[in-house]
Amino acid sequence: MKKILLITDIHGNLPALEAVFDAVKLEEFEAILCNGDMIYGASPNQCLQVLKEKEAIMIAGNIETNVIRLYAKLCPPEWYQCEQYAYTRHIAKILSHENLLEIYKLSETLIIEDLLPGSIQMVHGSPDDQNEWISPLKKDGRFEEILENCEHDYLISGHTHHQWDQKHAGVWAINAGSVGLPLDGKAEAQYTIISYEEHQPDSVEVHHHAVPYDTQQSIQNFYDQGFDVNNPFIKHVFYLLKTGIKREDFFITHYFNLAETQSGKKFDQLSNEERNKYWHLADQSYDWKL
């Protein structure tokens, strides 16, 4: 019986990544596949170093792409001037030059022919867009459309921070959830194992797993790495690390509504100075106890 370890969306959470590797016997695996978003958290350099040491096969997630574009001065002006993007700027700042080059070289998709009984396509979001959120739970027909157009036997993705797998149109779509920031209401590091007998397509099995880890150490790492822990995004990350529940969208809605109501303008008409002003006002007026 052969095995492949699937991990994704680590988000710079070193204690969670180490917990996954402590929970498995790496010598049993033919390969480790990592579907992007390795770096958006307190310990991006350390996580990348561990993945390189374990010889993980990695692709770029939308976070890696954003950081490279930011570093290369390819983003809109607000990315460099607005408080809303301060978290991303700090990630780009603390990444080593070596690791910036490493993530710059990553592909957005990989085709692997020699691991499973059948071909694998690795993507972060969807084959068409790193940022696309696909799931069999969405009933808009998009999930089925993607699999019907897929030319491979397995489509392995990330980005949703939920574990799932489903077959459609002869394609087995698999998502390992999130090592560092799962969204299922549990503060546990998620990973997935594919097991199979060589050259026997009917022998393939997918098993989803989750393991507890030291979430307090993950939070402490933000302090140790010099992050502004009063940043609203980091406040939400702390809540997510503790609970496995995302509240960030509620704050962003509050921010947009406050900015438009008080300014009398559409949000895209605001200057960067105005956006920063309302960002701080939104932080002060938001009900953080919810």
Side-chain angles (χ1 to χ4, degrees):
M1 184 69 73
K2 296 180 177 292
K3 296 180 181 179
I4 299 172
L5 177 63
L6 306 184
I7 54 176
T8 187
D9 294 270
I10 298 160
H11 287 274
N13 190 339
L14 185 62
L17 181 62
E18 290 177 332
V20 169
F21 286 141
D22 287 344
V24 300
K25 296 179 179 179
L26 290 179
E27 65 271 13
E28 295 181 352
F29 294 94
E30 301 297 310
I32 303 168
L33 306 186
C34 182
N35 283 72
D37 281 10
M38 287 80 67
I39 63 172
Y40 207 54
S43 307
N45 290 305
Q46 296 89 334
C47 287
L48 286 170
Q49 183 60 37
V50 169
L51 292 167
K52 287 186 285 186
E53 290 173 356
K54 306 298 185 186
E55 299 183 343
I57 299 171
M58 295 180 278
I59 62 170
N62 59 293
I63 298 301
E64 283 77 35
T65 298
N66 285 345
V67 167
I68 290 299
R69 291 184 69 247
L70 181 74
Y71 194 80
K73 307 298 183 184
L74 296 176
C75 293
E78 58 266 25
W79 282 61
Y80 304 93
Q81 300 167 12
C82 290
E83 292 299 318
Q84 185 180 352
Y85 301 97
Y87 185 29
T88 305
R89 291 197 298 270
H90 192 75
I91 298 293
K93 178 181 178 181
I94 66 175
L95 274 170
S96 69
H97 183 68
E98 177 186 358
N99 282 328
L100 282 166
L101 288 176
E102 289 284 344
I103 63 174
Y104 173 75
K105 295 175 184 177
L106 293 176
S107 301
E108 292 187 11
T109 184
L110 281 177
I111 308 302
I112 302 175
E113 303 280 0
D114 57 354
L115 277 180
L116 289 173
S119 62
I120 300 169
Q121 183 175 14
M122 290 178 64
V123 299
H124 181 67
S126 78
D128 300 322
D129 185 351
Q130 284 180 312
N131 292 284
E132 185 173 9
W133 200 94
I134 63 168
S135 168
L137 298 178
K138 295 179 72 175
K139 302 304 180 183
D140 58 1
R142 178 61 176 155
F143 178 79
E144 290 75 15
E145 177 188 6
I146 287 171
L147 297 194
E148 288 163 9
N149 291 326
C150 182
E151 298 178 353
H152 304 278
D153 301 287
Y154 302 90
L155 180 66
I156 299 176
S157 63
H159 196 53
T160 69
H161 294 224
H162 289 277
Q163 289 179 311
W164 48 262
D165 67 277
Q166 187 162 311
K167 298 177 183 177
H168 179 77
V171 180
W172 200 337
I174 305 168
N175 192 306
S178 174
V179 171
L181 291 174
L183 295 178
D184 65 348
K186 297 179 181 178
E188 296 182 335
Q190 298 177 335
Y191 63 98
T192 296
I193 295 174
I194 302 177
S195 60
Y196 61 99
E197 296 287 350
E198 195 169 10
H199 307 305
Q200 296 185 32
D202 293 339
S203 70
V204 177
E205 296 181 355
V206 174
H207 298 282
H208 299 294
H209 302 271
V211 60
Y213 69 95
D214 189 348
T215 57
Q216 283 304 122
Q217 184 59 56
S218 297
I219 290 170
Q220 182 61 44
N221 287 346
F222 280 90
Y223 290 86
D224 296 342
Q225 293 295 327
F227 283 82
D228 176 9
V229 296
N230 292 314
N231 181 308
F233 276 144
I234 295 183
K235 293 179 184 178
H236 285 297
V237 169
F238 287 176
Y239 183 82
L240 179 52
L241 286 168
K242 294 175 182 177
T243 66
I245 299 171
K246 183 178 180 181
R247 299 190 313 180
E248 178 185 316
D249 294 343
F250 296 105
F251 175 79
I252 295 300
T253 299
H254 172 67
Y255 168 47
F256 283 4
N257 289 341
L258 183 147
E260 292 186 347
T261 299
Q262 292 200 10
S263 70
K265 303 176 184 178
K266 294 294 186 182
F267 187 81
D268 59 8
Q269 296 174 328
L270 297 175
S271 68
N272 290 335
E273 290 78 11
E274 289 173 312
R275 293 185 185 194
N276 286 337
K277 169 187 173 182
Y278 294 118
W279 178 260
H280 291 294
L281 288 175
D283 183 16
Q284 294 167 11
S285 58
Y286 186 69
D287 186 357
W288 290 102
K289 296 179 181 179
L290 290 176

